[in-house]
Amino acid sequence: MPTDVARRVFREVHTDLPREAPGSRDCTARALTSVVLPDEPSVLDIGCGPGTQTLDLARLLPGARITALDAQERFVAVTTQRLQAAGLADRVVTEVGDMRRLHFTDQSFDLLWCEGAIYIMGVREALAAWRDLLKPGGWIGFTEAVWLTDSPPEELYRWWHEAYPKMGGVEDCLESVRGSGFEVVEHFVLPEAAWWSDYYEPMERRLVVLREHYRSDPLALAAIENHQQEVDYYRRWSAHYGYLFVVARREQG
Ligand SMILES: C[S@@+](CC[C@H](N)C(=O)[O-])C[C@H]1O[C@@H](n2cnc3c(N)ncnc32)[C@H](O)[C@@H]1O
């Protein structure tokens, strides 16, 4: 159970980062190349965080009408502000909402998007809950943490198993998609750069500042080192795990 201090540090680490998970515009664009959409598709971006992929979607799909949703008001506010500053707010609605209880009527969307957030429900649970929101033949794109080898180092496995016990391999993830009434159309592992530029590099810069700020608070410093450990694990053992981008199409019927 995280302590209040750990929660506070978590929140401070995860403030003003461009992204809240690995990802990049190139990866979003690459995933979209497999998707066939009408000229003015309706799109739902689930767990939008600070909205980087929302802005990318709006730019890459110029005819789209997008709803971007997140459980945290502070992220929705940032996304809204960034969309306004970019002149994209007329095509994107933002809202605070819970991915477990989406209020949209069935067959509302041509495309569901979920970068770095499907783990909150788990792939199978999320696809079962969201499938009917798609029009027949509609699409989903999401990213999910996966093991890339069968033999991760014990220390790494224990850390991730505690953080995300449902994490499986690439084939486990794709099987979950196929078993949920979707055809997998494309999948690729995000390049390592997509973990660093918008995510771990800005996070490490934040950790330096927080270490100084909390220099006489051992509990906060311990929480900060837990974040540093996550980054260091990736630096050392990135061959063993990664983020998988999956693009899939709802089967008819
Ligand atoms: C790892 S972040 C990814 C955010 C963003 N897509 C990105 O890649 O930067 C996961 C996001 O899911 C949001 N979230 C957590 N639980 C949620 C829920 N039940 N419903 C909607 N969003 C949720 C968090 O607030 C956070 O912004």
Side-chain angles (χ1 to χ4, degrees):
M1 208 43 191
T3 61
D4 285 352
V5 175
R7 265 193 291 271
R8 189 171 76 236
V9 167
F10 182 91
R11 191 182 163 94
E12 287 177 279
V13 171
H14 289 273
T15 296
D16 291 339
L17 301 178
R19 290 179 183 272
E20 284 293 323
S24 73
R25 185 185 188 281
D26 286 353
C27 293
T28 302
R30 176 174 168 189
L32 277 175
T33 57
S34 310
V35 178
V36 182
L37 292 170
D39 290 344
E40 296 184 358
S42 53
V43 179
L44 178 62
D45 182 12
I46 302 169
C48 65
T52 294
Q53 80 289 310
T54 316
L55 272 81
D56 289 339
L57 286 169
R59 291 186 175 117
L60 291 160
L61 300 171
R65 304 205 70 81
I66 301 173
T67 301
L69 173 145
D70 199 279
Q72 294 197 50
E73 200 161 349
R74 66 188 180 122
F75 286 139
V76 173
V78 170
T79 301
T80 306
Q81 192 194 343
R82 294 179 73 194
L83 288 161
Q84 283 165 352
L88 295 166
D90 57 330
R91 288 193 293 114
V92 187
V93 175
T94 58
E95 64 177 66
V96 177
D98 184 348
M99 65 171 77
R100 293 190 174 85
R101 280 175 281 277
L102 295 173
H103 61 81
F104 308 98
T105 51
D106 285 357
Q107 304 196 7
S108 295
F109 296 101
D110 297 291
L111 174 65
L112 303 179
W113 207 254
C114 188
E115 291 198 32
I118 204 165
Y119 76 92
I120 288 153
M121 292 179 68
V123 172
R124 271 185 193 275
E125 295 78 356
L127 295 184
W130 302 344
R131 185 175 181 274
D132 288 344
L133 297 177
L134 283 171
K135 296 173 188 171
W139 298 77
I140 184 161
F142 69 88
T143 61
E144 167 73 333
V146 289
W147 292 113
L148 299 176
T149 65
D150 292 333
S151 51
E154 178 67 23
E155 180 186 339
L156 177 72
Y157 180 80
R158 265 192 278 110
W159 193 93
W160 270 96
H161 189 68
E162 190 171 327
Y164 186 32
K166 283 185 183 167
M167 185 161 144
V170 171
E171 272 311 310
D172 297 321
C173 181
L174 299 180
E175 264 317 301
S176 295
V177 178
R178 294 187 190 108
S180 304
F182 285 83
E183 175 199 355
V184 175
V185 175
E186 159 77 314
H187 62 92
F188 60 90
V189 175
L190 272 61
E192 290 188 15
W195 286 68
W196 291 108
S197 307
D198 280 354
Y199 191 45
Y200 279 164
E201 282 171 7
M203 188 189 291
E204 280 200 303
R205 289 195 289 275
R206 174 68 41 77
L207 295 177
V208 170
V209 173
L210 289 175
R211 246 180 231 113
E212 176 58 22
H213 180 75
Y214 285 113
R215 60 186 179 281
S216 39
D217 182 339
L219 289 179
L221 288 172
I224 291 165
E225 289 325 307
N226 195 36
H227 291 275
Q228 184 65 55
Q229 189 174 43
E230 178 188 335
V231 179
D232 290 343
Y233 279 153
Y234 190 72
R235 185 174 278 119
R236 187 168 167 202
W237 283 320
S238 57
H240 290 284
Y241 62 113
Y243 250 74
L244 187 68
F245 220 128
V246 180
V247 177
R249 187 163 203 197
R250 179 186 163 170
E251 285 167 357
Q252 311 278 350

